[in-house]
Amino acid sequence: MKNIVILISGRGSNMEAVVRALDAEGWPARIAAVISNKPEAKGLEFARARGIPTAVVANKEYATRAEFDAALQETIDRFEPDLVVLAGFMRILTAPFVEHYAGRMLNIHPSLLPLYPGLGTHQQAIDAGDREHGATVHFVTAELDHGPIVAQARVPVLPGDTEDTLSARLLVEEHKLYPYAVRLFVEDRLEIDNGDVRILAPAEPTSI
Ligand code: GAR
């Protein structure tokens, strides 16, 4: 049984998608906690209503990034995570924090990485005249929105798209992509090899 700690900053719809998939599909995992850097994050309400332990480590209360990350790490580690899932966690993380969770921290980013790291990804795709946009789940490394890619989902960019219409179309796919990727981790099917992710075949069911 793997312990998953999910970090959010806001709405938490990707967190919700992971929680629902875990429950519906009976993964060998439990959500040990949902932690936010914002006390007002909407997603905390969903987690509390499901009886999932929640915690807030408010970045506003810390003078430096290093102090905040240290406090966050201490809170996360109380829940003994096998996996940390960043689900709309809008913080730049320090290298020691990232290093501490090397190979066991995933992020979802709303672009087809390596395109458009950072913010404003939907508008950037529209402005560039891209015909396709997407989302990426990747292992977190010290460089922002980089790291070995687990999986990507793609949507078309349609004529007349705005940031709102495009992000809404993509979010539907994010809600399938993230549970898919987290499940692969839970089932020990992800291997990082020289910066690339290999997806292993499912374990054969044992027969008698
Ligand atoms: C999602 O679209 C996620 O891909 C994006 O924030 C949104 C969070 O929504 N993440 C990033 O931009 C990270 N750089 P949610 O809170 O409803 O899951």
Side-chain angles (χ1 to χ4, degrees), residues 115-200:
L115 282 177
Y116 317 135
L119 299 174
T121 58
H122 311 297
Q123 194 59 51
Q124 287 189 69
I126 293 169
D127 291 347
D130 292 349
R131 295 166 66 165
E132 220 178 25
H133 184 44
T136 303
V137 175
H138 64 97
F139 282 98
V140 178
T141 54
E143 199 181 346
L144 178 71
D145 298 326
H146 278 70
I149 291 175
V150 176
Q152 294 185 310
R154 290 163 190 274
V155 293
V157 181
L158 300 177
D161 257 340
T162 63
E163 196 169 3
D164 284 352
T165 58
L166 184 55
S167 62
R169 186 177 309 121
L170 183 59
L171 196 62
V172 174
E173 300 309 314
E174 290 187 44
H175 293 167
K176 298 178 219 162
L177 178 70
Y178 217 1
Y180 163 75
V182 173
R183 184 177 178 167
L184 289 175
F185 184 96
V186 164
E187 293 179 341
D188 291 321
R189 291 180 56 200
L190 297 179
E191 217 171 66
I192 305 176
D193 182 12
N194 238 336
D196 288 326
V197 175
R198 201 172 357 192
I199 298 178
L200 308 174

Side-chain angles (χ1 to χ4, degrees), residues 10-15 87-88 90 107-110 145 171 174:
R11 180 176 55 185
S13 70
N14 277 291
M15 173 269 297
M90 307 306 270
N107 181 45
I108 188 162
H109 181 75
D145 298 326
L171 196 62
E174 290 187 44

